[in-house]
Amino acid sequence: MSAHGDLPIGHSPEGTSLGVPTLKLAWWTFLSSECMFFGSLLATYFSLKKNRVTGEPGPIDIFAIDMTSISTFVLLASSYLMVLAVEAIAKGDMGKTKLWLLGTAFFGLIFIGFQAYEFTEFYGLGLTLTSGTFGSTFFTLTGFHGFHVCIGILWLLGLYSLAVTGWLTPKRALTVEVAGLYWHFVDIVWIVIFTIVYLVEFVQ
């Protein structure tokens, strides 16, 4: 028997001296840099908050909290489906793995649909990238987040395709787990954005 013959399904024998798989450690490092990226966008949003152009539509004028709350719930639900996908492949259940991967991607697409509708409505009300500091910082922040969600959707659909072709197996469960880390990250970022960009405006 090999030295790694007793490893549980879904775990890679290759890892760091800390016992963490190298791939997972690399992604934690990447996500740390992403935290700084979104932190800088949020800092810019707040630093320019008091310099909004007179006449430019403000949050109170355009935000539809009810609709945004629904889209937020959809994104949070997708995180739960992602957890189910990780658990399914760890147990060797490829049928449920494919189901939950596809479900997570579908919920992500619904969220993007909500965001596209919201952006269209805001443009119709006069809020654009060039309408003032609020428009430029708001669309930059939420637009970059939406871009990250789109990357996650493509990633999940790619994993689903690999599962269908047979490449993705329980022995490669770490690839799904890493995708899950990324997906949970974009969900957490959205919770922060929704709380301090949308909700805070209505409690001040």
Side-chain angles (χ1 to χ4, degrees), residues 100-167:
W100 300 133
L101 285 174
L102 198 59
T104 305
F106 179 68
F107 274 38
L109 284 171
I110 293 176
F111 174 82
I112 291 298
F114 270 109
Q115 190 171 57
Y117 175 81
E118 182 182 62
F119 283 7
T120 301
E121 289 291 302
F122 290 173
Y123 264 78
L125 293 172
L127 186 71
T128 69
L129 274 169
T130 59
S131 62
T133 53
F134 173 54
S136 61
T137 54
F138 171 80
F139 282 115
T140 299
L141 174 60
T142 56
F144 267 112
H145 175 266
F147 175 70
H148 279 69
V149 174
C150 288
I151 292 176
I153 292 171
L154 293 175
W155 191 351
L156 293 170
L157 292 176
L159 289 175
Y160 172 80
S161 299
L162 291 173
V164 170
T165 60
W167 181 90

Side-chain angles (χ1 to χ4, degrees), residues 2 13 23 38 53 76 98 101 123 156-157 171 176 180 186 196:
S2 67
L23 180 60
F38 278 104
V53 177
L76 290 176
K98 289 182 283 187
L101 285 174
Y123 264 78
L156 293 170
L157 292 176
K171 291 183 179 180
V176 177
V186 296
I196 65 180

Side-chain angles (χ1 to χ4, degrees), residues 13-29:
E14 297 182 2
T16 65
S17 59
L18 299 176
V20 180
T22 304
L23 180 60
K24 186 184 292 188
L25 182 61
W27 270 100
W28 276 116
T29 303

Side-chain angles (χ1 to χ4, degrees), residues 36-52 133-134 136-138 140-141 196-197:
M36 292 186 285
F37 171 72
F38 278 104
S40 65
L41 291 181
L42 284 167
T44 302
Y45 175 86
F46 279 105
S47 65
L48 297 177
K49 185 175 180 179
K50 296 182 179 180
N51 298 322
R52 290 174 179 168
T133 53
F134 173 54
S136 61
T137 54
F138 171 80
T140 299
L141 174 60
I196 65 180
V197 173

Side-chain angles (χ1 to χ4, degrees), residues 9-10 83-94 96-98 100-101 163 168-177:
I9 290 177
V83 170
L84 294 179
V86 173
E87 290 181 349
I89 195 170
K91 294 177 180 178
D93 190 338
M94 293 308 300
K96 288 185 178 180
T97 298
K98 289 182 283 187
W100 300 133
L101 285 174
L168 184 61
T169 65
K171 291 183 179 180
R172 294 189 171 102
L174 184 59
T175 58
V176 177
E177 187 176 350

